[in-house]
Each structure stands twice: as structure tokens, then as C-alpha cells.
Amino acid sequence: MNTRRSFVKKSFAGLVAGSLVSFPETSGAGTLKEKKEDTFKLAMAGYSFVNFKLDESIEMMKKTNVHYLCIKDFHLPYKSTAEEIAAFHAKLKAADITGYAVGPIYTKTHEDIDNAFDYAKRVGVNLIVGIPNHEDLKYVEQKVKEYDIRYAIHNHGPEDKLYPNATSVYNFVKDLDPRVGLCFDMGHNRRDNQDSVADLGKYAKRIFDIHLKNVSGATKDGKTCELGRGIIDIPAFVKMLRKVKYSGSCALEYEKDMKDPLAGIAESVGYFRGVCDVV
């Protein structure tokens, strides 16, 4: 990136991030220092596109320059044939998008869990985001060992009787196979009045995926909002991502204006990239 382009990008990032972040120091030549590439990737959680067909979802990802997708079954049904799966991946590849995981998948029985692992294997991903019953966790561990596919349990906030926050998930998985971990929904975690920055630091070794979002309040009534407008300190979160050397995906899950989400997705993507550029 040339000096002028770098300066414009980082100046815009500073405007987006506002007073929360500051510019990096300049080198002796007066140019802004380039940061090392981050180990984590920006992605999209498929649920953000629940009201859109795959082609429409791909167009939104192209417009916001996001290249990784956690696949939901409404875009690729569980019973898809090998030919349908191949066509799905070909469509993503043509748009320079990679499907890196499947889910979230809710399971109530061992058969449901079997089907989830079979689906992930056929789709060709090595990560399932899931919500199993507590009594089925040992069976999940068994399937993880059988398939060598990681399994990340998703927390859903104060309404969730199974896994309201990151600590609740960790306490269930800490003694299981290390390939059983967390899909850390930082927004729902905050809605349960937890510190999402601190929890990222505590549980990083077992966090395989992150649902990137911000919320309006640390209560059950807190709502998803644009990434830069909520109560979670996103610059501090990015600093923690780097501190723990997180190498998974940060999948933006945008649950506001879900029938017309592009503006909010674009703002959130721009804000996140801006923060990453200047902190």
C-alpha cells in the first residue's frame, strides 16, 4: 500500500473510531508505520442473512469485501447432495468467499448430533457451531474424536437456560477433548452482564469462533447494534484478540434491520477494520 493510500485509509479509520483510538506514531521518514497482518480473520455469520437467498448474501459480502462465511442450513440444507454442495462451494469460490464452518446447529438427540457431524464432513469444514444438551456432551466429545472435527458451543445470553455466557460453556467443556470449545458470542455474553473483553482473555485457548457484535445494554433487553455504537469497548477487544494471539474468525453477526441490513453491516465492517488499523 503506498503512503498516500495508507494515510487516507487510516485517517478514515480514525474518524470512524472517534475518540476511542489514536493514530500510530510515524517513522523518521514521516510515513505511518505498517502493522503486521493480524492472525484473526473477519467473517460473516450466516444468520445475518436469514432473510436473503445465497446470491443476495454473496452480493452483500462482495460489497463489504468480506471473504469468509459460517454456513447456515437455509443456504445449504442438511440433506444437500454432493452435487449441490459442490455447486454451493463453486458459487462461493467465484466470489472469493470461503465457507469455513457450519452452524449454529441445535441438537436434541444423538441422531441429531450424528447428522451434524455427517453434514460438516460432507460440506468439507472442520468446525461445527452447535448447541447440544448438557447430557449429550460426552457423546459430542466421542464424535469429535471420531471425525476430528472441532465443535464450538454457542452461548445465547440470559434467556438461554443451557449456555447463557462464556463461563457457562467453559465450565462444561474444560475437561473434555480440547477440540470441544466455544463459539464466543460476545454480544449475548455482555447482555448477560459479563465482561466480554476479559472473558476473551480467560477462555481464548478454547475459543474456536467469535460472533462479532455489539449491544445496547448489559441486560436481557440489550439489542444488537452497529459495532461502533454499543457498550462493548471494541478497541479493547481487538487489543485482547492480539494479546491472546487469536487465530480464528471474527464472524460479524448483525441482527438489527435484518430485512435491510447492508448499511449496518457496512458500517460495522468499516468500523472494525478502522479499529484494527489504528489500535
Side-chain angles (χ1 to χ4, degrees), residues 39-237:
T39 56
F40 53 87
K41 301 183 292 289
L42 178 61
M44 286 298 304
Y47 184 68
S48 301
F49 303 125
V50 65
N51 293 305
F52 297 90
K53 295 180 179 179
L54 179 61
D55 288 346
E56 297 170 311
S57 305
I58 287 173
E59 283 305 308
M60 283 188 269
M61 292 184 67
K62 288 168 66 176
K63 287 177 179 177
T64 52
N65 196 29
V66 178
H67 300 279
Y68 297 91
L69 175 68
C70 185
I71 301 164
K72 276 295 290 178
D73 59 294
F74 48 73
H75 285 153
L76 186 63
Y78 297 137
K79 294 183 179 180
S80 295
T81 65
E83 292 76 15
E84 289 168 334
I85 291 171
F88 175 88
H89 283 306
K91 186 170 285 190
L92 292 188
K93 185 176 181 180
D96 193 22
I97 296 170
T98 299
Y100 72 91
V102 293
I105 299 175
Y106 289 83
T107 56
K108 299 296 183 184
T109 66
H110 285 194
E111 183 180 6
D112 290 342
I113 295 168
D114 291 343
N115 291 338
F117 277 88
D118 176 68
Y119 174 66
K121 181 179 180 179
R122 290 186 295 108
V123 174
V125 297
N126 69 355
L127 177 63
I128 297 170
V129 177
I131 303 95
N133 290 331
H134 296 162
E135 62 269 21
D136 292 332
L137 285 169
K138 293 298 292 184
Y139 190 71
V140 167
E141 180 184 40
Q142 177 183 324
K143 303 303 286 188
V144 162
K145 293 176 179 178
E146 177 183 342
Y147 281 82
D148 191 22
I149 292 176
R150 295 176 301 154
Y151 192 97
I153 298 175
H154 188 294
N155 60 286
H156 270 110
E159 304 93 338
D160 185 353
K161 303 304 181 185
L162 293 174
Y163 311 104
N165 55 52
T167 300
S168 65
V169 178
Y170 180 78
N171 286 339
F172 277 107
V173 305
K174 62 183 179 181
D175 296 323
L176 299 178
D177 186 284
R179 289 166 290 188
V180 184
L182 291 76
C183 173
F184 179 38
D185 190 307
M186 57 192 282
H188 285 315
N189 192 68
R190 189 71 187 99
R191 288 179 57 249
D192 201 46
N193 199 28
Q194 306 299 306
D195 184 335
S196 290
V197 176
D199 286 348
L200 172 61
K202 288 179 186 177
Y203 308 124
K205 290 183 178 179
R206 296 297 280 266
I207 294 176
F208 305 153
D209 196 29
I210 292 173
H211 278 184
L212 182 67
K213 66 178 63 166
N214 214 331
V215 293
S216 60
T219 67
K220 181 178 178 180
D221 295 328
K223 305 295 183 184
T224 302
C225 58
E226 293 81 359
L227 201 60
R229 303 192 194 191
I231 63 171
I232 299 175
D233 185 341
I234 301 301
F237 194 83

